[in-house]
Amino acid sequence: APTCDEAYAMNATWVVNIIENEVGVIDVSEHLEDGYCGHGWGICEGGKRVECSALSPASTDSPHNYERIHQLLHSAAPSQCTNTHVLKGEKAKEPDVHICLDAIPTTGCVVYSIGIANNWIFDDFMVARGCHVFSFDPSMTGAKKHKRHVNHLFEPIGIGTNDGSHKGDSTLYGKKTNYEVETLGHIMERHGHTHLTMVRMDVESAEWDVLEQWVSKGWMKRMDQLLLEIHMWKPKDEERHSQILHDIPMELFHSERNQFDGSVLHGDMTRVYEMGWQKKFRRMRGVALTLGNASEVNKLLRVTPNLTIALCGGSIAPIAGYQIHVAPTCDEAYAMNATWVVNIIENEVGVIDVSEHLEDGYCGHGWGICEGGKRVECSALSPASTDSPHNYERIHQLLHSAAPSQCTNTHVLKGEKAKEPDVHICLDAIPTTGCVVYSIGIANNWIFDDFMVARGCHVFSFDPSMTGAKKHKRHVNHLFEPIGIGTNDGSHKGDSTLYGKKTNYEVETLGHIMERHGHTHLTMVRMDVESAEWDVLEQW
């Protein structure tokens, strides 16, 4: 393409920018998972080079083993964090703790520290940063529930995958048994937390079951940063350990071996490592607003204290609750790591570009970047919107927040009947070969399934309600199975959600269906199961 902008518009798998006709710079964008550079679109940004742990999408097909863990540990990219604070290890052979301060506010942050062993260096530092710190450890002899500071609480419990008395081998110093454990979800619920700024965990090999649960339950999406010590003490768990680490939905910015354990597992890789992960960034560009009226801006942003604006391209009147820093260029404004970056266009319009730490479709937390006058729709501007109660009003807002512009290539399948809505399929990121599609709930309507087969996808259809329908193929790339989706495997319990109210039909979880068919990733899932979706979605 003649320009990088035109190259990006091509929606290629990769975009490469040649520097001095010799160096290819690959800037890999949003659709990445598991810390490797594989699927997804690329963008190019002049001479800027972005580290990437591996270049080949095929890397995901290699087996989970010590070699993949070894590669992951060496893929840590310190450049992902611009403001790292290092806490020295308590003893000479212990690795330092690297904390990324980029996205940690000076007030209102919530930190969980799991596994203390009477070492309060990390906990005290985060309290001093203005965070509310909650410390947990069942192994400290005589330690009871107490506070070291008004913003600190210690509880003598351990982290687990169930609540109650710990079962199985003890992982505590001194091999203490019969200690109390609680799941992360219940700890957060008990303390009224919906989001964690940081979790630090060192639990002497108990981390594997816990991490596996955190991934499966989606709890890692509720934390911005994870500082973790891993203990690979059981060679038979090599594959499992690799799978769990690669399933962590964050970016690795730090790894360092613990020299207390010099046992070599693979190459130069030993058994115990300190790892630092932070939430993956997904860029969302912002909305335009007029900055002429400070009270209007306050109302729109729902100002909270101690927020900052980095300003480029002009000046604005003071805004209550904000510190305003003026920068000569937008690049310098971005480098300030302010809460918002505002670019003044013709001294009148401020373009706020809200960046990466976003979830659930609202524009709230995170650093901002400015990109001239470019405006992109955003469904809401206020972080406070996440605090409103869950009710029909929030569902109503969500339904109206749908942004068709997010998809550049939409295919519409007409509804089978006049009152049925059309099915809109976004084809932007669907390859023409190798895609895997699950269609759940058919009712003898094959329009969607046949279309996706015609697109070159392998389609798997599921429905237990179709009278007389047996396992069969409609095409070499299609398979139908007369089973339903459920939260457990076996015969469906409870009220029937099928047409005709058929009972005693077979259901299976999504995880087990994928495992049975050898699938680790799905290009698309379509589901229409007549109100049975709620339990299933909750489990997913």
Side-chain angles (χ1 to χ4, degrees), residues 72-147:
L72 176 63
L73 291 168
H74 282 277
S75 75
S79 60
Q80 291 176 9
C81 181
T82 61
N83 184 10
T84 301
H85 184 86
V86 180
L87 294 175
K88 298 299 293 181
E90 189 182 18
K91 300 175 182 176
K93 289 187 176 181
E94 279 193 345
D96 302 332
V97 177
H98 288 235
I99 306 170
C100 185
L101 300 178
D102 283 358
I104 298 177
T106 53
T107 59
C109 46
V110 176
V111 175
Y112 282 13
S113 181
I114 305 171
I116 312 300
N118 292 297
N119 180 349
W120 301 100
I121 296 174
F122 169 81
D123 308 60
D124 290 345
F125 173 76
M126 295 311 298
V127 167
R129 282 278 304 179
C131 295
H132 296 266
V133 178
F134 296 78
S135 309
F136 308 94
D137 193 320
S139 74
M140 292 159 52
T141 304
K144 298 181 179 180
K145 184 173 179 178
H146 68 275
K147 285 176 170 279

Side-chain angles (χ1 to χ4, degrees), residues 23-320:
V23 181
V25 178
I26 293 183
D27 191 346
V28 186
S29 183
E30 277 94 72
H31 280 33
L32 304 185
E33 293 181 357
D34 303 332
Y36 68 91
C37 297
H39 308 296
W41 312 125
I43 61 173
C44 57
E45 297 184 347
K48 185 176 179 183
R49 307 182 187 186
V50 179
E51 292 180 7
C52 197
S53 60
L55 194 57
S56 171
S59 63
T60 53
D61 298 329
S62 59
H64 280 286
N65 52 27
Y66 282 144
E67 173 56 25
R68 283 196 70 181
I69 298 176
H70 183 256
Q71 292 175 0
L72 176 63
L73 291 168
H74 282 277
S75 75
S79 60
Q80 291 176 9
C81 181
T82 61
N83 184 10
T84 301
H85 184 86
V86 180
L87 294 175
K88 298 299 293 181
E90 189 182 18
K91 300 175 182 176
K93 289 187 176 181
E94 279 193 345
D96 302 332
V97 177
H98 288 235
I99 306 170
C100 185
L101 300 178
D102 283 358
I104 298 177
T106 53
T107 59
C109 46
V110 176
V111 175
Y112 282 13
S113 181
I114 305 171
I116 312 300
N118 292 297
N119 180 349
W120 301 100
I121 296 174
F122 169 81
D123 308 60
D124 290 345
F125 173 76
M126 295 311 298
V127 167
R129 282 278 304 179
C131 295
H132 296 266
V133 178
F134 296 78
S135 309
F136 308 94
D137 193 320
S139 74
M140 292 159 52
T141 304
K144 298 181 179 180
K145 184 173 179 178
H146 68 275
K147 285 176 170 279
R148 292 168 58 84
H149 182 276
V150 66
N151 285 342
H152 176 264
L153 177 66
F154 170 80
E155 294 182 332
I157 62 173
I159 193 73
T161 55
N162 292 287
D163 300 337
S165 183
H166 173 73
K167 308 295 183 185
D169 295 337
S170 173
T171 60
L172 305 186
Y173 290 117
K175 299 302 180 185
K176 175 182 176 181
T177 56
N178 296 321
Y179 49 92
E180 184 186 356
V181 293
E182 192 173 1
T183 67
L184 179 67
H186 287 159
I187 293 174
M188 291 177 67
E189 184 179 349
R190 181 162 54 82
H191 287 293
H193 299 145
T194 58
H195 187 84
L196 302 176
T197 312
M198 187 186 299
V199 174
R200 186 203 66 83
M201 181 166 68
D202 179 2
V203 289
E204 305 305 316
S205 88
E207 64 272 8
W208 300 110
D209 289 345
V210 170
L211 290 171
E212 199 167 44
Q213 183 184 62
W214 292 3
V215 169
S216 69
K217 296 285 189 181
W219 290 342
M220 284 193 182
K221 294 178 181 178
R222 302 185 188 181
M223 58 183 77
D224 291 335
Q225 192 168 154
L226 173 64
L227 306 181
L228 172 69
E229 187 164 278
I230 61 168
H231 309 80
M232 297 179 284
W233 289 337
K234 296 180 179 179
K236 67 181 180 66
D237 287 336
E238 170 185 358
E239 181 178 353
R240 179 179 179 235
H241 289 170
S242 176
Q243 181 72 62
I244 290 170
L245 291 175
H246 283 85
D247 282 343
I248 294 176
M250 295 184 178
E251 294 174 326
L252 185 64
F253 68 89
H254 174 70
S255 71
E256 186 177 351
R257 64 182 288 189
N258 187 317
Q259 297 183 47
F260 272 111
D261 191 324
S263 302
V264 174
L265 290 176
H266 178 81
D268 63 351
M269 184 178 77
T270 51
R271 300 195 302 178
V272 182
Y273 278 82
E274 190 84 27
M275 305 180 79
W277 304 79
Q278 66 177 347
K279 180 177 286 186
K280 291 182 179 180
F281 292 141
R282 186 181 64 210
R283 199 169 283 177
M284 185 184 289
R285 299 179 177 86
V287 299
L289 71 151
T290 300
L291 292 176
N293 185 320
S295 62
E296 179 184 326
V297 174
N298 283 338
K299 181 179 178 182
L300 186 58
L301 298 183
R302 297 191 188 178
V303 170
T304 57
N306 301 315
L307 300 181
T308 57
I309 290 176
L311 185 67
C312 55
S315 61
I316 58 175
I319 300 177

Side-chain angles (χ1 to χ4, degrees), residues 377 400-410 424 426 428:
E377 290 180 6
H400 281 275
S401 74
S405 60
Q406 291 176 8
C407 181
T408 60
N409 183 11
T410 301
H424 289 236
C426 183
D428 284 358

Side-chain angles (χ1 to χ4, degrees), residues 30 48 80 103 224 251 279-285 334 337 339 353-359 362 364-369 371:
E30 277 94 72
K48 185 176 179 183
Q80 291 176 9
D224 291 335
E251 294 174 326
K279 180 177 286 186
K280 291 182 179 180
F281 292 141
R282 186 181 64 210
R283 199 169 283 177
M284 185 184 289
R285 299 179 177 86
Y334 176 52
N337 276 347
T339 314
D353 194 345
V354 185
S355 182
E356 272 90 90
H357 279 35
L358 304 184
E359 291 182 357
Y362 70 91
H365 308 294
W367 311 125
I369 61 173
E371 297 187 346

